[in-house]
Amino acid sequence: MLGRVQPQKSFGDEALELHVSDRHFLMKVSGLVDWAAFDHYWPGLYGATGNRSHDPLVCFKMLLLEQWYNLSDPECEAQCADRLSFRRFLGLSLADTIPDETVLVRFRKRLLKAGLAEPLFASVLAQIEAAGVIVKRGTLVDATIVQSARKAPPRDATGGDTDARWAVKNGRPVAHGFKAHIAVDDGSEIVRAIETTSGSVHDSVPMDTLLDRAPAQAVYADAAYCDAARRKRLRARGIAPRIRFNPRGGELTPRQTALNHRWSKVRAKVEHVFADWKERRSLARCRYEGLKKNALHFTLVAIAHNLRRWSVLAA
C-alpha cells in the first residue's frame, strides 16, 4: 500500500532548517523542482492492500543522492541518517525513519517492472524545458562504454554479464560492457535523450532515435557518425549535419579539415559530460548486471545530471 510522509515539525526541525542554508545545492534543486508532478507515477508501484510503504518520493530522492554523491545503497542510508542537508532535501523530520538499503533495492525493482525510467526522465526534462534553459540551437551526440560489473570473459566465450558485449575499435576488442548514448543540448549541457545498448552496438546506431527526441537546428558528432545517407536524412529534416568528415582511407579537402576543426570545438562539450559522470558520479563501472538494470542506472545518472545543471543555470 502506498505510503506518504507527512512530517510534523518540531523545534528541532526548525533548527535543522536554520543549519542548512537555502544556498546549499540540494536546497536549490528542491526549490526548482515541482515534486508533486511525480505523484501520478507512484500509485502504480504498489497494491491497494498490505502494509504502508515508505514514501516513494523519498526513495526516488535517495536514488538521486546516490548519483550526485556516488553512494551505494548502504552508504546512502547511513548518510541520510547522519547529514542534516540530506534529511531536509528528503523532506523528513528528525523523528522520521530513513528507508534502509533493502527498501531502495525493492524500490529500484519496482521502477524497473513499471518501466518508469524514461517517464521520470521525460518529466524532469519537461520541467527544465518549461523553465526556458534549454537552447535547442545544437544537439551533441556521443556514446561511451561502461565496463560490465563482472569480470569480462575472453572474446567469443561465455561468462560474465550475459547481456554485456565487447566493444570493438579498429577490429580489436577494447572493453566489455554497455554503452550509454546521449544527446546533449549545446547551450545548456542538459541531456535531452539517452539510450542504453550492449557494448557491441555501433555508436551511430541509436542516433536517429536520439534526434527524434532531441531535435535542434544542428547536430554535432564525431567521425564515427559520418554517413552520406544520414547527412541527407538530416538535411531533409532541416537539421544541419555538423558531423566530422571521415577520410576512410582517403584525404580530406582543406575545407573539410577546417570544418572538422570548427565542429570539434563544439562537439567536445559532450566529453565534459561523460568525464564528470565517470570521474565524479557513479559511472566509472557498471553497478549492476543486465541491460535493463544498467539502463535504469544510466537514466538516473542523466536525471541527476540535468537537475544539477538546472541549479547552475538558474543561479
Side-chain angles (χ1 to χ4, degrees), residues 176-242:
H176 185 261
F178 301 88
K179 282 184 179 178
H181 307 258
I182 60 174
V184 176
D185 182 57
D186 175 25
S188 63
E189 293 188 19
I190 295 291
V191 177
R192 297 180 61 202
I194 181 167
E195 291 285 331
T196 302
T197 67
S198 66
S200 61
V201 174
H202 193 274
D203 292 3
S204 66
V205 171
M207 186 179 195
D208 291 341
T209 301
L210 292 172
L211 292 179
D212 285 342
R213 292 157 53 196
Q217 298 174 25
V219 58
Y220 295 83
D222 64 25
Y225 298 84
C226 183
D227 177 84
R230 175 173 289 113
R231 291 179 186 276
K232 185 176 180 179
R233 289 198 304 271
L234 290 172
R235 289 193 183 98
R237 295 172 59 181
I239 302 173
R242 293 170 183 169

Side-chain angles (χ1 to χ4, degrees), residues 15 28 51 96 111-112 122 124 128 150 160 194 212 233 244:
K28 290 181 180 178
N51 296 329
D96 286 322
L111 292 181
L112 270 176
V124 170
I128 296 174
R150 297 186 63 183
I194 181 167
D212 285 342
R233 289 198 304 271
R244 281 176 54 91

Side-chain angles (χ1 to χ4, degrees), residues 276-292:
D276 176 73
W277 290 8
K278 291 193 172 187
E279 294 175 13
R280 299 184 181 90
R281 312 305 159 187
S282 52
L283 218 65
R285 191 185 186 100
C286 290
R287 287 189 175 187
Y288 310 102
E289 290 185 42
L291 178 63
K292 291 183 179 180

